[in-house]
Amino acid sequence: MTTVLEPRGDRLWTHEEPLRFYGFEIGRITTVIRLSSGGLFVQSPAELTPALEADLRELGGVRFVAPASKLHGHLYMEQYREAFPDAELLAAPGLDGRRSDLRFDGLLGDAPDPRWAPDLDQVAVLGNRLLTEIAFFHRQSRTLILGDVGYHIGRDSPLKTRLMARLLGMYEQVGPPRDYRLAVTNEASFRRSIREILAWEFDRVIPGHGEIVETGGKRAVLEGFDSLL
Ligand SMILES: [Fe+2]
C-alpha cells in the first residue's frame, strides 16, 4: 500500500501538494506511471521525501523523470537520480539551457521514446514565448497529463482561488492561465499542438496545477481552449 501516492487508474498514481502562486492556493500535482516494461515514469517530480521514495520503491523504482515544463517541476529532479541510479532525467525544450547545472539524459520532443511509447504518447506544446512543455497521454487509463498549459480550478479549490478563476474566465475548465495566454506568440503552432492533444481519446485530465478532472476531461479542455482554437 502506498502512503503518499494515490492510485488513480490502471498503472497510474498521483501525489498532490499545496502550492501558493501570487497568494492563491493552486497546488501542484506529480504523476507516476508504471510502464509495461516495469519501471516508473515520473512527471513533475515533487521533493523526494522518505515517504514518497518508499512508495516509488514499492511500485518498482524510477526509470524516467520528466519536468512539468521548461519553467516548472524540475527543482527536485536530481534527487531522483541520487535515489534511483537507473533514473534518466529528461528535459523539456529549453530546460537544458536553464538548468546547465543538471546532466540530462535526453531531450523530450514530439515523438515518444520507444521505451515508453507503448504506454505514453506525447506532444510538444509550442508557440509560447515563456515556456514549452510536453503533454502526455497515458493510453491505459485514458489520461491527459499537462504541466503549465492547463490549470483546472474547480469546486474543491479554496474560495479565494475560485473567485480568481471566475474573474479570469477559467473556472471549471482546463485552460491556460492569463500570463500563459498572453505569451502565445505563434498562434498557428500553439493551435496545432492543442489540436493534436484533443485528438487523443482521454477522459481524465491531470493538470500541473489545480484539481484532477476524473471524467469529462475532453469537454473541459475544449471549453478552456475554445477561444484559442
Ligand atoms: Fe507550474
Side-chain angles (χ1 to χ4, degrees):
M1 272 283 283
T2 54
T3 55
V4 293
L5 281 174
E6 191 174 336
R8 284 282 163 191
D10 206 1
R11 297 189 197 162
L12 176 77
W13 293 262
T14 55
H15 174 55
E16 294 175 72
E17 47 182 14
L19 178 80
R20 284 178 86 77
F21 190 63
Y22 292 117
F24 294 96
E25 181 54 54
I26 56 168
R28 70 184 294 286
I29 307 174
T30 296
T31 302
V32 175
I33 286 147
R34 187 192 279 135
L35 301 171
S36 312
S37 55
L40 303 176
F41 189 103
V42 180
Q43 182 262 5
S44 195
E47 185 170 11
L48 192 59
T49 59
L52 180 55
E53 186 180 332
D55 278 1
L56 293 166
R57 283 196 196 287
E58 186 186 319
L59 296 179
V62 177
R63 192 69 187 81
F64 300 104
V65 187
S69 69
K70 174 187 161 185
L71 291 184
H72 293 160
H74 57 79
L75 287 180
Y76 308 112
M77 291 178 92
E78 55 267 56
Q79 298 177 351
Y80 288 68
R81 184 157 52 198
E82 266 171 44
F84 302 93
D86 287 343
E88 292 188 24
L89 308 190
L90 309 166
L95 178 62
D96 46 340
R98 292 189 75 224
R99 291 294 309 270
S100 50
D101 58 313
L102 266 187
R103 178 175 54 81
F104 287 102
D105 300 288
L107 178 64
L108 295 162
D110 255 332
D113 184 286
R115 294 172 297 170
W116 62 80
D119 306 277
L120 288 167
D121 199 357
Q122 69 191 56
V123 159
V125 185
L126 304 171
N128 192 289
R129 179 169 51 83
L130 295 179
L131 63 100
T132 309
E133 74 175 61
I134 308 295
F136 293 97
F137 172 54
H138 183 226
R139 283 192 199 85
Q140 182 97 7
S141 66
R142 295 181 62 209
T143 301
L144 169 65
I145 302 152
L146 299 174
D148 285 306
V149 66
Y151 284 32
H152 174 239
I153 309 300
R155 289 155 203 249
D156 294 334
S157 291
L159 176 65
K160 199 173 142 193
T161 308
R162 279 182 280 145
L163 289 172
M164 174 214 41
R166 273 189 196 280
L167 277 174
L168 296 178
M170 53 183 277
Y171 183 59
E172 292 204 307
Q173 299 172 351
V174 175
R178 179 172 284 185
D179 53 343
Y180 188 101
R181 219 174 265 250
L182 293 174
V184 172
T185 44
N186 185 334
E187 283 181 33
S189 154
F190 179 74
R191 225 177 273 137
R192 196 181 320 123
S193 306
I194 301 302
R195 285 192 182 140
E196 280 183 46
I197 290 173
L198 283 165
W200 288 331
E201 291 298 324
F202 63 89
D203 189 34
R204 181 190 287 105
V205 181
I206 304 178
H209 302 288
E211 299 156 39
I212 294 167
V213 184
E214 271 301 327
T215 187
K218 188 164 267 193
R219 188 177 40 80
V221 172
L222 272 168
E223 283 172 6
F225 286 88
D226 187 42
S227 59
L228 297 160
L229 288 172

